[in-house]
Amino acid sequence: MANIDLRDLRILELGSGTGWLALTLAHAGAIVTATERPGALTLLTRNVYGHLDRTAAEEATCISVEVEQCKWGDNVRVAGEFDIIIGSDLFYIVESYPLLLNTLLVHNCKRCILTWEERIPLEEASFLVLAAAAGFTFNPPIHVGINEVTNNRILYLDMFFGN
């Protein structure tokens, strides 16, 4: 996302985990809504709001991160309009691919940026087939790095809907 102007960009992050990426994007000027499934929401909330409390006392600039629950496939939309939906390392349960695509569609996703560590290449390729069938357009994923521990490739995918 280095070539994207993040100032005032409204970003929905799916599967935010610890909140590191959401906070990093917010520090760069984005307005971020970080989401997690119900079982992981407490950790995300504690990390994000704890960080915001600490940085508010240290920095003159205001950063914007909200934390919301998002359970894929329940057809419940996180409040707000978003310019980009992002997700990191979401491709580890093949059965969740249709739920992820449904979540993107429920949120009126026009652009989605996904990155992941390639672990199960054939199954991960099936996500691309499903995404294309759902109406997303994209170029093949770009190899952007290597996990030095597992030696697996790190991939980047920029998808568009309705273009």
Side-chain angles (χ1 to χ4, degrees):
M1 294 186 61
N3 60 347
I4 298 173
D5 183 3
L6 296 173
R7 288 173 296 176
D8 299 321
L9 196 66
R10 298 164 303 171
I11 297 175
L12 176 66
E13 183 186 15
L14 301 177
S16 300
T18 64
W20 178 87
L21 180 57
L23 290 163
T24 300
L25 294 170
H27 276 284
I31 301 163
V32 183
T33 301
T35 67
E36 251 313 336
R37 58 187 168 76
L41 194 61
T42 301
L43 173 64
L44 174 62
T45 302
R46 185 178 63 230
N47 286 349
V48 168
Y49 292 124
H51 177 82
L52 292 176
D53 287 346
R54 285 188 305 278
T55 57
E58 300 168 4
E59 297 182 11
T61 59
C62 180
I63 64 172
S64 178
V65 181
E66 294 294 326
V67 174
E68 297 288 340
Q69 176 177 300
C70 183
K71 185 177 177 189
W72 300 356
D74 68 1
N75 292 324
V76 175
R77 185 177 159 80
V78 173
E81 295 297 321
F82 304 99
D83 301 306
I84 297 179
I85 298 177
I86 63 169
S88 298
D89 225 9
L90 303 178
F91 296 159
Y92 50 90
I93 301 173
V94 175
E95 294 78 17
S96 71
Y97 296 175
L99 302 176
L100 172 57
L101 284 168
N102 182 68
T103 299
L104 295 175
L105 294 170
V106 163
H107 286 89
N108 195 28
C109 178
K110 299 293 183 214
R111 185 176 187 188
C112 179
I113 296 174
L114 301 172
T115 61
W116 69 97
E117 179 179 344
E118 186 179 56
R119 294 181 183 90
I120 46 175
L122 292 177
E123 289 85 349
E124 292 160 2
S126 74
F127 174 83
L128 303 178
V129 172
L130 291 171
F136 286 93
T137 59
F138 47 86
N139 290 319
I142 299 169
H143 172 207
V144 294
I146 295 284
N147 178 326
E148 294 179 7
V149 174
T150 64
N151 210 34
N152 292 338
R153 298 186 316 159
I154 306 298
L155 299 173
Y156 169 96
L157 178 67
D158 198 351
M159 301 192 315
F160 297 88
F161 188 80
N163 290 338

